[in-house]
């Protein structure tokens, strides 16, 4: 930027104000249009005529930069009086990428985290990413909004408790997020979405988003499982589950995700399990519309609270995935098992930073 002329036109003040957005990749586009030839005569001493392209009606930016850089302050001071209306000055400021952090809960068993296509190519309506991202993209006039989270739950799994940490990456915003605006957007999203709620929306920096990526693989997660057994549940079976502590698993990539994940073998850890058999009354309440089903499930349902290392495939830990996960709940209890329902109830991770809102009931 040509120092003297740019200071005269107030360019440093524009850039300085824009740079106050913490940790943002800013792009400042400044356009100066000179529509009066009188300005050229006024600038002639410090600026050689060779810097102006008459055929295109504009300055040669590189030569103007060089000329103004070599010009002395006193020379420009003598000629900086400008005719009225001679200059049109505009500045456009955009952030290459801006970030908003928060947590979300999902109280539905038929909603994916990201957009899904059916086999016939039709997009399934309703997903967590669209619900959380589209209002922010519209409010901040961004070209694109993408969600990144600490892990993901399956379409039939609820995300409860304090919610899953995530952040939204907004590309080329034309309006910078403020805390007041995000508070309003949080209320709007929660008002319009009965199944997905967001909490603690706040601006975050690019460096802070690394915490979410680390938490995806490094933190503990807590689950609630409803497990169906082939044989009737005994106290001994439940007791075996409750003795599990820091149990290491060998897990091959589950069959259900082999089409999109590499065929790897991982070692994961189950920290602890707290299990109990469902009573006959609880089964009847759960199956009140089908008494025959209630009778068949009596003494065959277990509810288990499982704390595991992040990245553990909990469904496969329950049913074994044709012994691709060993040991598993089936081998521990001594009977074939299957997962009927799964909820994520807690992710032990401080996110987002520096805000202490209380999450509502889920």
């Amino acid at each position: 930027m040509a120092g003297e002329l740019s200071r005269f036109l107030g360019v440093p003040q524009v850039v300085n104000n824009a740079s106050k957005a913490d940790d943002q990749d800013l792009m400042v586009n400044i356009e100066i249009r000179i529509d009066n030839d009188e300005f050229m005569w006024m600038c002639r001493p410090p600026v050689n005529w060779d810097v102006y392209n008459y055929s295109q009606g504009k300055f040669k930016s590189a030569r103007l930069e060089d000329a103004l850089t070599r010009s002395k302050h006193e020379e420009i001071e003598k000629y900086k009086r400008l005719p009225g209306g001679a200059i049109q000055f505009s500045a456009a400021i955009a952030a290459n990428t801006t970030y908003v952090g928060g947590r979300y809960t999902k109280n539905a068993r038929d909603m994916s985290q990201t957009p899904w296509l059916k086999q016939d190519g039709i997009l399934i309506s309703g997903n967590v990413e669209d619900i959380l991202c589209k209002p922010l993209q519209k409010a901040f006039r961004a070209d694109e909004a993408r969600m990144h989270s600490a892990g993901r739950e399956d379409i039939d799994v609820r995300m409860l408790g304090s919610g899953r940490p995530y952040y939204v990456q907004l590309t080329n915003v034309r309006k910078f997020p403020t805390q007041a605006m995000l508070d309003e957007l949080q209320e709007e999203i929660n008002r319009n979405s009965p199944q997905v709620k967001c909490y603690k929306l706040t601006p975050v920096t690019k460096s802070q988003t690394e915490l979410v990526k680390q938490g995806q693989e490094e933190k503990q997660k807590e689950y609630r499982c409803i497990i169906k057994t082939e044989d009737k549940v005994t106290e001994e079976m439940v007791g075996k589950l409750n003795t599990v502590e820091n149990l290491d698993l060998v897990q091959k990539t589950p069959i259900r995700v082999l089409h999109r994940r590499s065929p790897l073998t991982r070692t994961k850890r189950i920290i602890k399990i707290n299990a109990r058999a469902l009573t006959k009354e609880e089964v009847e309440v759960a199956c009140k519309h089908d008494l025959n089903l209630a009778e068949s499930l009596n003494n065959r349902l277990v509810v288990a609270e499982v704390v595991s290392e992040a990245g553990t495939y909990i469904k496969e830990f329950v049913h074994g995935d044709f012994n691709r996960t060993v040991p598993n709940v089936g081998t521990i209890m001594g009977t074939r098992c299957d997962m009927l329902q799964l909820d994520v109830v807690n992710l032990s991770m401080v996110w987002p930073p520096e805000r202490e809102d209380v999450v509502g009931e889920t």
Side-chain angles (χ1 to χ4, degrees), residues 125-331:
S125 62
N127 61 81
V128 175
E129 183 174 34
D130 283 352
I131 291 171
L132 298 178
C133 290
K134 285 186 175 180
L136 272 64
Q137 182 176 1
K138 179 180 179 181
F140 303 121
R141 296 162 56 200
D143 289 346
E144 184 182 20
R146 295 184 59 190
M147 186 179 81
H148 306 266
S149 63
R152 58 190 299 154
E153 69 281 345
D154 292 336
I155 190 171
D156 59 345
V157 176
R158 296 189 300 177
M159 179 66 239
L160 306 178
S162 59
R164 185 180 296 278
Y166 75 99
Y167 66 89
V168 176
Q169 179 180 337
L170 296 160
T171 303
N172 195 21
V173 298
R174 291 156 181 87
K175 194 172 185 179
F176 287 108
T178 65
Q179 191 58 64
M181 296 169 64
L182 290 173
D183 289 342
E184 292 181 5
L185 283 168
Q186 178 174 303
E187 292 182 7
E188 175 188 329
I189 292 171
N190 292 343
R191 184 172 58 251
N192 295 332
S193 172
Q195 302 292 357
V196 176
K197 306 292 183 183
C198 61
Y199 304 96
K200 301 185 178 182
L201 284 190
T202 189
V204 294
T205 64
K206 181 178 181 180
S207 58
Q208 287 173 330
T209 63
E210 294 296 323
L211 296 173
V212 171
K213 299 173 184 177
Q214 294 170 10
Q216 182 172 349
E217 293 297 332
E218 297 178 2
K219 303 299 181 180
Q220 292 183 6
K221 299 183 180 180
E222 299 177 27
Y223 302 86
R224 182 186 301 118
C225 315
I226 304 296
I227 302 168
K228 176 182 176 295
T229 63
E230 184 175 66
D231 300 320
K232 288 189 176 182
V233 178
T234 65
E235 290 185 6
E236 181 183 3
M237 291 177 178
V238 176
K240 289 179 179 179
L241 281 182
N242 288 329
T243 61
V244 169
E245 185 175 353
N246 294 326
L247 175 67
D248 288 331
L249 313 177
V250 177
Q251 289 196 310
K252 294 182 179 179
T253 302
I255 293 174
R256 63 186 172 92
V257 298
L258 270 177
H259 64 286
R260 55 185 173 88
R261 298 283 178 89
S262 300
L264 302 175
T265 299
R266 305 171 178 84
T267 300
K268 294 296 180 179
R269 175 167 291 188
I270 301 297
I271 310 300
K272 64 179 179 179
I273 299 177
N274 182 18
R276 68 176 181 85
L278 288 181
T279 65
K280 181 178 180 180
E281 291 74 19
E282 289 175 318
V283 175
E284 289 177 349
V285 170
C287 305
K288 60 184 177 181
H289 298 298
D290 191 336
L291 296 180
N292 291 330
L293 177 62
E295 183 63 28
S296 66
L297 292 177
N298 188 33
N299 292 324
R300 285 185 169 84
L301 292 183
V302 174
V303 57
E305 305 281 348
V306 180
V307 181
S308 75
E309 181 183 2
T312 305
Y313 291 106
I314 296 298
K315 288 181 177 178
E316 283 65 30
F317 170 59
V318 170
H319 59 64
D321 198 29
F322 300 100
N323 285 325
R324 294 170 64 84
T325 292
V326 289
N328 53 67
V329 172
T331 60

Side-chain angles (χ1 to χ4, degrees), residues 32-35 37 52-60:
I32 304 172
R33 297 179 62 87
I34 303 175
D35 298 326
D37 286 341
Y52 192 75
N53 188 323
Y54 283 95
S55 63
Q56 297 182 11
K58 64 180 183 181
F59 284 105
K60 301 173 183 177

